[in-house]
Amino acid sequence: MHATIGYHFVKSTHGTSLPGDERGHWSETWDEQIGYIEPHMLHTGDPMRLRMARERMKHPEVRLTPQMIQVVVNTIAQCVEESPWSIIAGSIERTHMHLLITYTTRDIHKSMKWFAQEMTKAIHGLTPHEGPVWSEGKWLQFIFDESHWRNTITYIERHNIRRGLDPRPYSFLT
């Protein structure tokens, strides 16, 4: 088995990546009698499911403002200082963020939960935004080889370039 090099972490803002989304979605459906239906599968877009998901939302969809993005960037920098891992590539967009994180022996799932909580607390404390910031789930891909690592760096940097930024615009990047 290959050793983990790092992780590609993606977190979407609340309400911007719902079940039924035309881009596809990873959400699982729960049935009381049979449990999860088709877990861990990419589901195709479904306008009916998307409509139902929107109707169940208790808070409006969140798109990060420039002020909120700056709070996220600053909070990431603080979290990196307190952590044994580094961030090699990052893109913070209005509806989601991508981070490429070096390997750690800590529980990466708990670390990313802490990360999202810290960003939410900072946004609530430093901006007028109230309510949820991030969606419940996350996308976390374990990376085992150098080729995949390099391709992920390029992929994330392209997000920044597409927005007219430097490929590595943040101070927290090593």
Side-chain angles (χ1 to χ4, degrees):
M1 182 163 198
H2 298 284
T4 303
I5 298 171
Y7 318 90
H8 181 187
F9 174 65
V10 182
K11 188 81 171 155
S12 296
T13 56
H14 176 75
T16 58
S17 186
L18 296 172
D21 189 288
E22 65 187 20
R23 297 167 295 178
H25 59 97
W26 290 93
S27 60
E28 301 165 328
T29 304
W30 177 261
D31 181 277
E32 288 186 20
Q33 293 180 334
I34 60 175
Y36 284 116
I37 302 169
E38 299 178 330
H40 313 296
M41 292 180 60
L42 180 64
H43 299 275
T44 57
D46 179 350
M48 181 65 73
R49 185 179 274 187
L50 181 59
R51 181 185 59 77
M52 291 183 337
R54 282 192 177 128
E55 288 173 356
R56 287 190 305 269
M57 286 180 57
K58 295 177 182 163
H59 300 277
E61 125 181 333
V62 174
R63 294 189 180 267
L64 299 175
T65 64
Q67 181 188 18
M68 292 164 79
I69 289 173
Q70 189 58 55
V71 169
V72 167
V73 168
N74 294 343
T75 304
I76 290 171
Q78 291 170 354
C79 289
V80 167
E81 287 180 19
E82 298 173 26
S83 301
W85 37 261
S86 300
I87 297 178
I88 304 303
S91 179
I92 316 301
E93 306 206 17
R94 295 193 68 216
T95 60
H96 67 287
M97 70 174 159
H98 291 267
L99 299 173
L100 183 61
I101 302 165
T102 58
Y103 174 75
T104 179
T105 57
R106 288 189 182 169
D107 182 321
I108 192 65
H109 297 283
K110 287 180 183 176
S111 292
M112 294 305 98
K113 182 177 180 180
W114 165 74
F115 210 34
Q117 290 170 337
E118 291 299 305
M119 287 182 268
T120 298
K121 284 191 279 188
I123 286 172
H124 287 164
L126 299 170
T127 75
H129 179 78
E130 297 177 1
V133 175
W134 306 106
S135 63
E136 285 185 33
K138 66 181 176 307
W139 191 74
L140 185 66
Q141 184 177 46
F142 286 62
I143 299 176
F144 302 105
D145 65 69
E146 289 295 328
S147 174
H148 188 182
W149 182 259
R150 286 189 306 275
N151 289 342
T152 304
I153 291 171
T154 301
Y155 175 78
I156 293 171
E157 288 179 348
R158 274 196 219 131
H159 276 69
N160 294 323
I161 293 167
R162 190 175 64 232
R163 290 182 8 254
L165 301 174
D166 184 88
R168 301 178 60 80
Y170 309 115
S171 62
F172 58 77
L173 297 174
T174 56

